[in-house]
Amino acid sequence: MNTSLAIKNRSLHDQVVSRVRDLIIEGVLEPGSRIDEAHLIEELGVSRTPFREALRTLAAEGLLIVRPSKGSVVRKWTPDEVYSMLEVLGHLEKLAGELACQRATDAEIAELIDLHERMMGHYQSTDRLVYYKLNQEFHGRLTGLSKNDSLIEMQRILQARLKRIRYIGSQKKENWAGAVTDHEVMIEALKQRDGAALGAAMQSHLVNTWDRVKDSI
Amino acid sequence: MNTSLAIKNRSLHDQVVSRVRDLIIEGVLEPGSRIDEAHLIEELGVSRTPFREALRTLAAEGLLIVRPSKGSVVRKWTPDEVYSMLEVLGHLEKLAGELACQRATDAEIAELIDLHERMMGHYQSTDRLVYYKLNQEFHGRLTGLSKNDSLIEMQRILQARLKRIRYIGSQKKENWAGAVTDHEVMIEALKQRDGAALGAAMQSHLVNTWDRVKDSI
DNA sequence: GATCTGCATTTTGTATACAAACATAAAAAA
DNA sequence: TTTTTTATGTTTGTATACAAAATGCAGATC
């Protein structure tokens, strides 16, 4: 019943939060749909108290909305909201790119280049899901190289909110090719430690993301 | 007992969250100190369940840390963390300034100028606390003119985390004068709708903030 | 047929009880 | 004296019970 909750050394709260977060991000719980407390606590094998605490955490992360006395619903983003998130995320990743060029070690850059190569492999073999997952990791890791914890945190929150939408946007073939081109430019700038170029590339990558996803929201 | 919790049309959760948030921001609950559940529950006149849900929300906002089985503590920022927050906030407010110049109406700009004038009045009369409060409002309102909800939200989170620290940093007289000069530059750029200048001014304002606060962390 | 009203059912919100983990301090051993 | 052990009280975590609110539906009314 509570099979996958058996990870040790993590509080029950954290486990419930990440379980439900995954259900939202993966689309098992559809945007706009109501959270069925009774059903989910049964499924997760926890009682209402920790489950509801987890809902509060997820609401603060922006993944769902708690409507007083009317239950919680999975948050559904309007096109305007998606645009605003991409606008901010693009700006944040621009900063991340600039800082990464200043602060990353050569080894860290090499690792990221390696990750990029692996992504290219999955692009060649049209392994969409693996590419998508590595792409999330790529953006997270690159932001990590900024060595700025607040930046990393804000990027992670926005990335989590956008995950579903980006997944949908990655499903058209021509979109994918465009994203890959963007990444090539980013990697080139990172190799040269050209902060301005990397920042600009990351920002325009997210502007392009809007073009790719806007029709599927 | 639960006197000030009597605001209508707000869920108990929201009321507890904002009450405790205020206690943290105002420094009644000191950074690093443990949250005395029993005591605060008594004080607020609520039971543990909604109180603990509120703690989860505040933890997600970054104002406190829940240590499993060891209680919650008011989050205490390291100098590095404060620097990282200011680095991000400066960058976000730079974007806000640029967007505000594009998207704000003339009336909105006039209102902000009016707020600025009022701040100057309180600067003249060395009314530090009022100035400080209006200053928070100024930054919030200016960010609001970006018309970007995600940006507004991220700015608010960071501003809440930094509130105490900025208050401390505003206590030296020469610091205050510097901040006022920054604001003059910002208002001038806003009047001209010069996005680049306003963005740069806002960013450098936050860089200067670091200089003002760094010794009092 | 459409809308309203009242009741039963379901769902949500809060309080409380119990169990588990932790902290403290006194007693025992080294 | 110092360290370890054990006992005790306190705090935290979770489950559950009860109260309040919302929802759905049947019958009444227009």
Side-chain angles (χ1 to χ4, degrees), chain A residues 125-144:
Chain A
S125 53
T126 45
D127 202 342
R128 207 180 300 271
L129 190 63
V130 181
Y131 178 91
Y132 172 76
K133 295 220 161 173
L134 291 181
N135 185 47
Q136 299 285 338
E137 193 186 330
F138 181 86
H139 283 269
R141 290 257 292 273
L142 197 139
T143 305

Side-chain angles (χ1 to χ4, degrees), chain A residues 24 30 32-37 40 51-52 54-56 58-59 63-75:
Chain A
I24 292 171
E30 283 178 43
S33 71
R34 190 136 140 281
I35 300 278
D36 185 341
E37 259 187 32
L40 271 173
F51 181 78
R52 301 189 89 246
L55 292 186
R56 293 296 183 186
L58 292 164
L63 294 179
L64 52 84
I65 291 178
V66 177
R67 302 168 309 175
S69 300
K70 297 174 96 180
S72 307
V73 290
V74 178
R75 192 142 167 201

Side-chain angles (χ1 to χ4, degrees), chain B:
Chain B
M1 183 164 289
N2 62 348
T3 42
S4 56
L5 286 183
I7 309 142
K8 279 283 171 295
N9 263 22
R10 281 179 79 202
S11 71
L12 183 58
H13 175 80
D14 291 351
Q15 293 173 42
V16 175
V17 167
S18 72
R19 260 319 245 110
V20 178
R21 188 195 287 124
D22 286 349
L23 292 176
I24 292 172
I25 289 173
E26 288 164 13
V28 179
L29 300 173
E30 282 179 43
S33 72
R34 192 138 141 283
I35 300 279
D36 185 342
E37 258 187 32
H39 177 246
L40 273 172
I41 283 166
E42 168 74 12
E43 190 119 331
L44 299 175
V46 295
S47 80
R48 287 183 67 209
T49 309
F51 181 78
R52 301 189 87 249
E53 286 184 18
L55 292 186
R56 293 298 183 184
T57 297
L58 291 164
E61 288 180 11
L63 294 179
L64 54 83
I65 291 178
V66 178
R67 302 167 309 175
S69 300
K70 297 174 98 178
S72 307
V73 290
V74 178
R75 191 142 167 199
K76 188 177 189 172
W77 306 102
T78 65
D80 273 5
E81 287 169 331
V82 173
Y83 182 81
S84 78
M85 287 189 273
L86 286 168
E87 191 165 62
V88 175
L89 189 58
H91 193 69
L92 288 177
E93 293 203 359
K94 174 185 151 95
L95 176 61
E98 290 166 1
L99 295 178
C101 284
Q102 292 168 34
R103 299 176 186 172
T105 66
D106 288 341
E108 287 166 336
I109 290 178
E111 276 178 56
L112 209 64
I113 290 170
D114 183 64
L115 176 55
H116 171 73
E117 309 284 341
R118 295 209 314 275
M119 284 170 69
M120 289 306 105
H122 295 291
Y123 174 61
Q124 301 299 334
S125 55
T126 45
D127 201 343
R128 208 180 299 272
L129 191 62
V130 180
Y131 178 90
Y132 172 76
K133 295 221 163 176
L134 292 181
N135 185 47
Q136 298 286 338
E137 193 186 329
F138 181 87
H139 283 269
R141 291 257 292 273
L142 197 140
T143 305
L145 298 188
S146 73
K147 317 283 173 94
N148 179 318
D149 288 341
S150 301
L151 182 54
I152 292 165
E153 183 186 352
M154 300 289 147
Q155 194 269 353
R156 212 185 42 237
I157 290 174
L158 288 173
Q159 176 152 285
R161 293 182 188 182
L162 287 165
K163 248 182 193 169
R164 284 236 77 217
I165 289 152
R166 287 176 110 153
Y167 180 66
I168 294 161
S170 76
Q171 288 178 330
K172 269 184 270 171
K173 192 165 186 179
E174 63 276 23
N175 285 346
W176 197 3
V180 165
T181 308
D182 288 352
H183 273 246
E184 302 275 15
V185 176
M186 285 157 47
I187 283 292
E188 198 49 45
L190 184 64
K191 271 182 184 158
Q192 324 249 317
R193 284 189 185 267
D194 184 341
L198 179 53
M202 299 209 65
Q203 184 155 33
S204 85
H205 180 52
L206 282 151
V207 171
N208 293 341
T209 298
W210 169 248
D211 288 330
R212 287 193 283 273
V213 303
K214 66 180 175 211
D215 295 321
S216 42
I217 306 164

Side-chain angles (χ1 to χ4, degrees), chain A residues 196-215:
Chain A
L198 179 53
M202 300 208 66
Q203 184 154 32
S204 84
H205 179 52
L206 281 151
V207 172
N208 293 340
T209 298
W210 169 248
D211 287 330
R212 286 192 282 273
V213 302
K214 68 181 175 208
D215 296 321

